[in-house]
Amino acid sequence: MKIRLGDIDVGYARAGEGPLAVMVHGLAEDRNSWADVQSRLSDFTTYAYDLRGHGETDLGKARGTLEQLGGDLIAFLEALTGPADCIGYSLGGTVVLWVAARRPDLVTRATVAGTSTVVGRRAAAFFHDRIETIRSDFPAFADLLKEDTRQQLATAGDRLDEVAARRLKAVGTGEGYVNAARAMARLNEHPLTPLLPGIACPVHVIGGEVDTFCPRKAADIMMAALRRGTYREVARAGHLMSVDRPDAYAEAIRNALESNARW
């Protein structure tokens, strides 16, 4: 399905019946990365959409900012669901937190997995390197994406080829990746962390036990700033929790959706 929102046509998938939840994917992913979670949460009405320049969503007039990506989520909520629980993975988590801070009327509860609200110089350099490689040598970027995927898997290395191919397909021409990577790199000089104390709704933070891309320190920073934050860890999972431990990952999200404030 598609819907026109501002300057872009947005691809999305709807599944299940029940309370509303909107899912926002990570960098080098698309809405299909939520398919397993959506199937496990069939007693919820879930929406998963493709971020700007990913999957089947147009790039539009990309500005490379979290504010624009957050504006896209606001437009999606206003057009399709109204106020809803919002779930974000990695990049998607920063988008959800930004909207929860800026539009509390639209986010009833936030669940963020593998998410960071600030990136260090090394992480910013990583994003800038990937942007440069996409624009200068796309085949080399494809190799880097596969290596990044390998490092984000802790227990499901046997699925590397499958997952890397799926992610490369989601990236398409790479311009959506560039746009989102620029937004993430900006968190080095402009962290999202100062907005967290202003979030009124419950925020459930999920982390992978052995996630090296978004380690426990990132969750600790969020938990120290949030007014109503809780933390849950997925054992033996790397950054790609949905691949390493799909059952435990979906259960952690279910627990968040069924909780008022505490696990």
Side-chain angles (χ1 to χ4, degrees):
M1 293 181 279
K2 281 197 171 186
I3 185 171
R4 184 73 180 179
L5 299 175
D7 64 325
I8 54 176
D9 288 323
V10 177
Y12 70 96
R14 180 188 183 279
E17 292 294 338
L20 283 169
V22 174
M23 301 173 169
V24 190
H25 65 78
L27 186 65
E29 299 279 354
D30 61 16
R31 68 181 188 266
N32 295 314
S33 63
W34 289 111
D36 180 72
V37 175
Q38 287 186 284
S39 69
R40 293 171 186 265
L41 298 177
S42 59
D43 50 334
F44 289 82
T45 300
T46 59
Y47 288 82
Y49 72 95
D50 293 332
L51 287 171
R52 181 179 291 260
H54 289 72
E56 296 183 349
T57 295
D58 303 333
L59 179 66
K61 298 177 181 178
R63 296 197 292 269
T65 67
L66 185 57
E67 290 78 6
Q68 185 183 47
L69 294 173
D72 293 341
L73 174 55
I74 289 171
F76 189 89
L77 292 168
E78 289 182 333
L80 283 174
T81 68
D85 282 6
C86 291
I87 306 161
Y89 166 71
S90 196
L91 161 70
T94 65
V95 174
V96 165
L97 291 172
W98 187 89
V99 174
R102 297 300 190 190
R103 288 293 304 273
D105 58 310
L106 288 175
V107 182
T108 56
R109 172 176 24 222
T111 301
V112 297
T115 295
S116 177
T117 54
V118 59
V119 303
R121 288 190 296 271
R122 183 176 178 181
F126 168 90
F127 291 123
H128 288 305
D129 175 76
R130 296 302 183 269
I131 290 169
E132 181 179 343
T133 305
I134 281 177
R135 289 181 165 166
S136 63
D137 188 349
F138 193 84
F141 168 76
D143 292 337
L144 287 174
L145 180 60
K146 184 172 183 178
E147 176 58 21
D148 294 342
T149 302
R150 185 188 67 77
Q151 294 184 29
Q152 292 170 11
L153 293 170
T155 60
D158 58 321
R159 295 185 59 192
L160 174 60
D161 289 345
E162 166 207 340
V163 176
R166 184 194 76 197
R167 301 182 83 200
L168 187 62
K169 181 179 179 181
V171 164
T173 65
E175 287 305 312
Y177 184 107
V178 168
N179 182 61
R182 286 173 58 200
M184 288 300 295
R186 291 182 74 246
L187 292 179
N188 176 242
E189 295 184 358
H190 305 283
L192 184 61
T193 316
L195 295 182
L196 299 185
I199 297 178
C201 70
V203 179
H204 297 286
V205 180
I206 301 172
E209 181 185 18
V210 288
D211 185 348
T212 58
F213 274 66
C214 190
R216 176 62 186 268
K217 180 180 178 180
D220 291 341
I221 290 171
M222 287 188 285
M223 292 299 295
L226 289 166
R227 292 160 54 187
R228 302 176 65 188
T230 60
Y231 177 75
R232 181 165 181 146
E233 194 164 85
V234 179
R236 304 188 308 280
H239 192 59
L240 286 167
M241 289 176 270
S242 63
V243 181
D244 275 331
R245 298 291 312 284
D247 51 350
Y249 181 61
E251 185 63 23
I253 293 173
R254 173 178 291 281
N255 287 346
L257 293 174
E258 293 179 344
S259 169
N260 288 328
R262 299 176 61 85
W263 293 100

